[in-house]
Amino acid sequence: MRILIQLLTAFQAGMKEVYQLETSSEEVLINPTKKEFTGDFTIVLFSFTKKTGEGPETMGEKLGNYLVINFTDVIGYNVIKGFLNLEMSHTFWTKSLSTIKNTSNYGFLKSTGEKYLIEYASPNTNKPLHLGHIRNILLGWSVSRILEANGHQVIRTQVVNDRGIAICKSMLAWLKFGKGETPATLGKKGDHFVGDFYVLFENKFQEEYKVWQESELAKMLLAEKNIQENNIPEFFKDFKNTYFNDYSELGKEAREMLQKWEKGDAETISLWNKMNDWVYEGFGATYDKLKVSFDKNYYESQTYLLGKETVELGLKKGVFEKEADGSVWIDLTDAGMDRKIVLRSDGTSVYITQDIGTAMIRYKDFGVSRMIYTVADEQDYHFKVLFEMLKRLGEPYAGGLYHLNYGMVDLTTGKMKSREGTVVDADDLIQEVISEASAGSAERGELAELTVSQQQDIFDKIGFAALKFFILKVQPRKRMTFNPQESLDMQGQTGPYIQNAFVRIQSIFRKSDGKLSETEGGPNKIEQPEKELLRLLISFPDVVAEAGRQYDPSTIANYCYALAKDFHRFYHEVRILGAETAEEKNFRLQLCACTGDVLERAMDLLGIDMPDRM
RNA sequence: GGUCUCGUAGCUCAGUUGGAUAGAGCAACUGCCUUCUAAGCAGUAGGUCACAGGUUCGAAUCCUGUCGGGAUCACCA
């Protein structure tokens, strides 16, 4: 339902009439006219001059003239260089507004029948979520909503890395030092509780390592390797993994636990279940707060063995090759990649093999044509290889795979590093933005007569708007710098600024007598801020489509900001309830209603809720 | 070193398939609340779009190279 399609058609007819030229809709560029020129929409003519053999000015005159005569929506034009600036008629604007108003779910598409699966979270169960996860989750969630707005069916999944040495470290630390404490007894969120034991393990391990570094054995080793005095700290740093694997008592216990787990030892499994359940409870609480959900969870513990059959299959097809030691490889050098191992010599599968299995199972589960992986760009190469492998295996969905990659999040102080304790914890951050929102709200005092829980609901909405918008306004591909102070900001280019536009609209409707009159008579005059607002509303469907094509929420975020900005200006320059005539008031109220509706649904695509007041 | 990616105002970011004199916000300064929510509006100031070539009517945008940041190149996940 593109409103400008009529203008486009009229222009194409003009090209045919005047120059006997067929033009495709892609060739014709219709832009909003820039502020410093007169007109509402501008058509760029340069690209046609070759075909017509005429200068752009002459073309502009002829075509502008054609449009004014033959297309009633255009009432005037001017030509500057190759730009044909068109002035639209009064009825064009009123007609457009009523089209928008009468289109249900304006801007969104009807069902395409296409089915997408999106993976947008892949947490480890040994530590709580941090800022990096937040970007990942918000991005994936928003893209899933944008795809739905484009008419696709979406299945949301997460893959939980619930096995491996890391969780065993937490388990071991809890057994040795936990004294039977639980999240409940300590009043701690489950994921943090388990994460703390992971940290505790690391600390105890470091203690043990330090003591060992003074031992005779360590000294012999230093002598043997001929390590100089001043290189000793460096050496021990590099040696840490070897120490963990070959010398450490704690390391040995952790590895034994992993082995027991792999053998299915009942006691170990039950402890593992218990700890993971605590973690899931914690994650669940965070997901609920973020208002995101999953249709299906995949657990690494259930999928890590899956790739093997595929390898057998691939060997038969000649996609893979076996080495003398039994390891299995794929050679991707002809596609500009490397040789990659898919099965170790001991027959166990590696990460990428597991991903093959997971992809197959997902296809079996849902039969989707498209699969999207929301994963940071450090894994670009991994996915390039994975997709190439699936293609060579002849998987039916191989053409529909997409790695939605995003840049890592930096802090103003540098990179986030868990080892250096500089990670920003997700729950802390959420807590902080919400209390900032409540502080700001208290200052303004608009909410005094609401109940505490109503107020709390609004603080949540404002706080999350600040946080989510701050993250989503940046193009996914770009690395972003996270400034905690700025993320708490509620003024200027922020989520709350956009909410404020919506709140103003709601307030107007509370104060109006509540009914839009059905008179078809339009206003006498349409003001510039009204036209600008309408122009943006007209472009909404294109923005949704573009965001879908690019898998890019920042497109929507920037649109929301532009729309809110135009509304604020409109609100400031034009009286709405105090309009001079009933028709004007009606027109403006409809404009408010459409703006409010588009703002609310566009922000919903970002996972941001709108409050009625703030 | 190979490959990928980013580089726009002091800071954080926009800038649609190449289009007019490159835009916002923050920070700084100046105005605007007996009138629909001032989380707002208007204004001042701030730029060699990393650099150098090329493509063309036209380049922040496309191509090549250089410089700088980041990622990646495991029988780790």
Side-chain angles (χ1 to χ4, degrees):
Chain A
M1 181 49 80
R2 285 183 45 216
I3 289 167
L4 292 181
I5 203 130
Q6 288 169 7
L7 174 59
L8 174 69
T9 313
F11 178 82
Q12 285 172 317
M15 285 294 282
K16 197 166 181 193
E17 172 85 18
V18 180
Y19 298 105
Q20 291 78 49
L21 275 179
E22 295 287 345
T23 46
S24 72
S25 53
E26 283 81 27
E27 287 176 276
V28 182
L29 208 58
I30 304 179
N31 290 329
T33 303
K34 298 226 170 192
K35 259 203 207 106
E36 44 288 22
F37 303 96
T38 33
D40 299 311
F41 293 98
T42 297
I43 300 180
V44 186
L45 299 173
F46 294 105
S47 48
F48 302 113
T49 52
K50 253 181 204 156
K51 283 191 197 164
T52 62
E54 275 190 346
E57 285 91 350
T58 322
M59 281 187 66
E61 290 299 333
K62 288 186 183 170
L63 291 165
N65 200 39
Y66 172 89
L67 285 174
V68 169
I69 292 169
N70 295 289
F71 185 50
T72 53
D73 282 357
V74 174
I75 54 167
Y77 73 93
N78 64 81
V79 185
I80 296 173
K81 294 202 262 178
F83 299 94
L84 173 58
N85 300 320
L86 302 171
E87 197 184 325
M88 306 307 281
S89 72
H90 188 273
T91 32
F92 167 80
W93 299 110
T94 54
K95 210 170 56 183
S96 298
L97 180 58
S98 74
T99 303
I100 293 168
K101 186 178 138 248
N102 295 325
T103 308
S104 65
N105 268 325
Y106 171 70
F108 292 4
L109 295 179
K110 300 246 154 55
S111 173
T112 58
E114 195 155 8
K115 222 169 168 186
Y116 282 67
L117 181 145
I118 181 165
E119 169 193 305
Y120 72 97
S122 44
N124 298 321
T125 57
N126 62 311
K127 43 188 168 211
L129 304 173
H130 60 68
L131 182 51
H133 295 110
I134 296 228
R135 186 175 194 193
N136 193 317
I137 289 166
L138 295 182
L139 194 56
W141 173 263
S142 177
V143 167
S144 77
R145 293 289 299 119
I146 289 167
L147 291 172
E148 284 174 337
N150 277 283
H152 308 305
Q153 189 192 334
V154 180
I155 293 141
R156 299 179 175 86
T157 69
Q158 73 169 328
V159 50
V160 185
N161 299 309
D162 59 342
R163 62 174 278 278
I165 193 74
I167 185 66
C168 287
K169 288 179 183 175
S170 292
M171 285 156 64
L172 187 62
W174 184 80
L175 273 184
K176 290 176 90 85
F177 315 111
K179 301 173 190 148
E181 296 283 9
T182 68
T185 62
L186 287 187
K188 204 182 271 182
K189 207 159 154 284
D191 49 342
H192 289 263
F193 179 86
V194 172
D196 288 349
F197 280 101
Y198 182 76
V199 173
L200 182 64
F201 179 92
E202 285 297 322
N203 291 342
K204 295 282 181 186
F205 169 73
Q206 286 291 353
E207 275 173 36
E208 184 202 272
Y209 190 25
K210 219 161 231 160
V211 171
W212 180 83
Q213 286 172 18
E214 301 301 322
S215 70
E216 287 306 313
L217 187 59
K219 283 184 178 139
M220 271 168 58
L221 194 76
L222 286 174
E224 192 182 306
K225 301 233 167 184
N226 202 14
I227 306 292
Q228 303 300 317
E229 185 75 34
N230 54 349
N231 289 333
I232 289 178
E234 181 77 10
F235 172 79
F236 279 132
K237 211 177 150 196
D238 294 343
F239 190 71
K240 194 182 139 191
N241 271 339
T242 317
Y243 171 74
F244 180 85
N245 288 322
D246 298 348
Y247 300 88
S248 165
E249 194 50 41
L250 283 169
K252 195 175 147 206
E253 288 184 63
R255 278 197 321 281
E256 280 169 4
M257 187 167 267
L258 181 58
Q259 277 160 13
K260 277 199 204 159
W261 181 89
E262 288 190 352
K263 283 188 193 128
D265 173 66
E267 218 169 290
T268 309
I269 296 284
S270 123
L271 172 61
W272 173 75
N273 274 323
K274 181 157 74 178
M275 299 212 52
N276 274 338
D277 283 347
W278 287 336
V279 172
Y280 299 146
E281 211 182 307
F283 285 172
T286 306
Y287 293 149
D288 285 348
K289 276 245 157 200
L290 286 168
K291 295 240 169 96
V292 300
S293 61
F294 303 95
D295 300 310
K296 169 95 180 166
N297 293 334
Y298 290 93
Y299 296 90
E300 196 189 1
S301 57
Q302 290 162 15
T303 59
Y304 81 110
L305 298 174
L306 279 176
K308 289 196 189 174
E309 301 165 30
T310 320
V311 173
E312 293 305 319
L313 207 80
L315 274 171
K316 263 186 223 149
K317 284 186 180 171
V319 175
F320 298 132
E321 52 203 26
K322 198 172 226 163
E323 295 272 295
D325 64 1
S327 60
V328 179
W329 297 74
I330 184 167
D331 187 353
L332 299 173
T333 44
D334 56 338
M337 291 170 251
D338 297 317
R339 256 166 64 88
K340 179 89 191 165
I341 192 159
V342 293
L343 227 51
R344 297 190 187 97
S345 49
D346 66 3
T348 57
S349 58
V350 295
Y351 182 54
I352 201 156
T353 320
Q354 174 188 318
D355 272 0
I356 293 176
T358 309
M360 292 177 134
I361 244 212
R362 283 173 175 172
Y363 184 69
K364 215 178 280 173
D365 284 350
F366 297 106
V368 295
S369 52
R370 299 287 181 91
M371 289 193 205
I372 298 175
Y373 296 82
T374 317
V375 180
D377 63 9
E378 58 186 350
Q379 297 205 40
D380 282 355
Y381 182 69
H382 170 78
F383 282 104
K384 215 176 144 197
V385 169
L386 176 66
F387 295 170
E388 179 66 23
M389 283 168 67
L390 287 166
K391 196 171 108 192
R392 292 188 184 199
L393 286 165
E395 292 300 299
Y397 50 85
L401 296 163
Y402 183 75
H403 176 204
L404 172 56
N405 63 348
Y406 62 91
M408 310 282 269
V409 183
D410 291 324
L411 303 175
T412 42
T413 47
K415 285 191 203 179
M416 275 203 296
K417 285 189 174 155
S418 49
R419 288 217 181 98
E420 291 164 23
T422 54
V423 278
V424 175
D425 177 74
D427 296 310
D428 289 350
L429 183 60
I430 288 169
Q431 189 50 50
E432 223 173 324
V433 286
I434 291 172
S435 58
E436 186 70 19
S438 104
S441 219
E443 235 172 77
R444 309 183 72 236
E446 291 280 349
L447 307 178
E449 75 241 35
L450 299 184
T451 67
V452 172
S453 83
Q454 284 171 325
Q455 288 185 19
Q456 190 54 52
D457 179 56
I458 292 172
F459 301 156
D460 280 8
K461 284 176 175 164
I462 298 172
F464 275 112
L467 179 60
K468 291 182 176 183
F469 190 85
F470 186 79
I471 288 171
L472 290 175
K473 73 176 179 183
V474 181
Q475 237 174 55
R477 194 169 2 105
K478 296 204 177 171
R479 236 183 140 79
M480 68 174 287
T481 313
F482 185 86
N483 183 329
Q485 235 120 53
E486 283 178 19
S487 74
L488 299 179
D489 215 334
M490 317 245 158
Q491 269 142 26
Q493 195 181 20
T494 67
Y497 172 94
I498 297 162
Q499 290 178 321
N500 186 231
F502 181 81
V503 162
R504 283 177 149 181
I505 292 167
Q506 304 318 304
S507 176
I508 286 168
F509 280 107
R510 277 196 299 272
K511 295 209 164 134
S512 77
D513 27 27
K515 43 196 167 200
L516 293 176
S517 73
E518 288 301 322
T519 54
E520 272 311 311
N524 295 325
K525 182 168 185 291
I526 297 170
E527 306 292 338
Q528 194 55 31
E530 297 173 317
K531 288 183 184 176
E532 277 164 28
L533 204 45
L534 260 167
R535 231 166 26 177
L536 267 181
L537 290 174
I538 286 169
S539 71
F540 182 54
D542 298 329
V543 173
V544 174
E546 179 66 12
R549 261 196 300 279
Q550 306 285 337
Y551 304 100
D552 183 1
S554 77
T555 311
I556 301 284
N558 288 312
Y559 174 80
C560 288
Y561 175 66
L563 186 58
K565 195 173 166 56
D566 272 9
F567 177 80
H568 279 306
R569 182 208 281 260
F570 157 79
Y571 178 89
H572 187 261
E573 291 189 8
V574 166
R575 299 265 87 202
I576 298 158
L577 294 176
E580 283 176 26
T581 68
E583 286 75 21
E584 263 174 9
K585 178 175 160 189
N586 202 38
F587 180 77
R588 288 172 188 170
L589 281 174
Q590 286 184 15
L591 198 47
C592 285
C594 289
T595 304
D597 174 58
V598 168
L599 277 178
E600 187 172 35
R601 284 185 302 115
M603 288 287 267
D604 182 54
L605 298 183
L606 305 176
I608 299 175
D609 292 331
M610 295 297 222
D612 287 336
R613 42 185 104 212
M614 64 195 288

